[in-house]
Amino acid sequence: MKTLTGKTALVTGASRGIGRAIARRLAQEGALTAVHYGTNEQAAHHTLELISQEGGQAFAVRAELGVPGDIETLYTQLEDQLARHHKGPEIDILVNNAAISGSARIHDITPELFDHLFAVNTKTPLFLLQRALKNLPDGGRIINISSAATRIAYPESIIYSMTKGALNTLTLALAKELGPRNITVNAITPGYIETDMNKHKRNTPQAANELAAHSTFNRTGQPTDIADIVTFLASDASRWITGQTLDASGGTHL
């Protein structure tokens, strides 16, 4: 039997990149997976097609994050789709993956950029988790996708790093809060991953080689590298791990 058979999962920002890889792996392990997306409907449906081709089950949920009413919009659609799949409102696994980047050094940041990044990367996961507790049964799994920028100085994008640092703090506090319910809460901190977000950093062979050199394995990470770790944390095999921030940077800057 697959490790997540009978489970239900929600992955935010699952239309592309790391989120798509996570949704595919959870579905491969038997979870009915909600593929959340903000605006790129075509990409989200491609994720659904891939999951279907691999024998998994999934459905799409659309909600723009970081705007008023985003949480209720998402959960209204989620619960409606679960009912269509003859499931209750419960979700066993929540993966907070959706995020936006915004490069700016200290002299270039603006209040508008600060508010926008914190709205999507920090405020939304916080209130998404608050709302999720109505749906998350005892023994559930919460997995937050953070960033190695919380460990490695990244002055080129100071606000982004701050939003992820706050997510790590949330992970630690919530793990203690939900421990009595046997709900585990963990964070993963990827390094450089080959996604659209980092595409501009490897637009030449030289740039790609320099990016790969940050890792002790001399390569950039793949979305599946992160998806496999998420799948482990979503499974019963990780039941004794909570409140942890797992470095998944391929040994970047050791």
Side-chain angles (χ1 to χ4, degrees):
M1 182 178 292
K2 298 177 180 179
T3 60
L4 301 177
T5 296
K7 302 292 185 180
T8 302
L10 167 63
V11 183
T12 64
S15 63
R16 297 178 297 166
I18 293 174
R20 172 183 284 173
I22 292 170
R24 290 176 66 181
R25 282 292 290 118
L26 296 179
Q28 287 168 7
E29 288 300 322
L32 171 62
T33 303
V35 173
H36 161 265
Y37 70 102
T39 58
N40 197 332
E41 183 175 7
Q42 183 177 1
H45 282 287
H46 183 51
T47 301
L48 296 182
E49 289 172 0
L50 291 170
I51 291 173
S52 178
Q53 292 169 6
E54 293 161 354
Q57 290 186 300
F59 56 85
V61 175
R62 179 174 186 171
E64 183 180 354
L65 302 182
V67 299
D70 54 355
I71 305 302
E72 284 307 312
T73 297
L74 192 157
Y75 272 95
T76 297
Q77 291 187 51
L78 175 65
E79 291 176 353
D80 179 63
Q81 287 283 2
L82 287 172
R84 292 184 183 185
H85 285 78
H86 307 290
K87 294 281 188 178
E90 296 82 17
I91 54 170
D92 303 285
I93 303 157
L94 171 59
V95 183
N96 275 312
N97 168 73
I100 56 174
S101 62
S103 297
R105 291 178 176 269
I106 184 65
H107 299 295
D108 301 317
I109 61 176
T110 63
E112 292 77 18
L113 181 63
F114 179 95
D115 289 344
H116 186 44
L117 262 66
F118 266 89
V120 177
N121 296 0
T122 308
K123 182 179 179 180
T124 291
L126 171 64
F127 286 100
L128 189 68
L129 286 166
Q130 182 190 62
R131 176 62 178 80
L133 296 182
K134 298 179 181 180
N135 298 65
L136 200 69
D138 291 357
R141 298 285 187 268
I142 295 171
I143 303 157
N144 298 319
I145 305 302
S146 180
S147 170
T150 60
R151 174 178 65 84
I152 302 165
Y154 192 38
E156 297 88 345
S157 192
I158 189 170
I159 300 176
Y160 173 80
S161 303
M162 291 169 64
T163 66
K164 294 300 188 176
L167 193 62
N168 291 356
T169 301
L170 172 62
T171 298
L172 185 62
L174 202 59
K176 187 169 185 177
E177 178 80 17
L178 300 180
R181 293 181 52 191
N182 287 321
I183 295 172
T184 67
V185 189
N186 293 290
I188 299 171
T189 59
Y192 292 114
I193 305 294
E194 287 195 19
T195 65
D196 291 344
M197 183 180 290
N198 290 321
K199 188 175 182 179
H200 67 284
K201 297 177 182 177
R202 46 185 172 81
N203 53 9
T204 66
Q206 180 180 352
N209 290 336
E210 290 175 354
L211 207 62
H214 287 288
S215 165
T216 191
F217 300 123
N218 197 35
R219 71 172 177 87
T220 51
Q222 298 297 317
T224 51
D225 292 325
I226 308 305
D228 286 343
I229 300 169
V230 170
T231 304
F232 165 70
L233 290 176
S235 74
D236 186 60
S238 69
R239 61 191 175 276
W240 204 234
I241 301 174
T242 196
Q244 301 304 301
T245 300
L246 280 69
D247 188 289
S249 67
T252 294
H253 290 192
L254 286 180

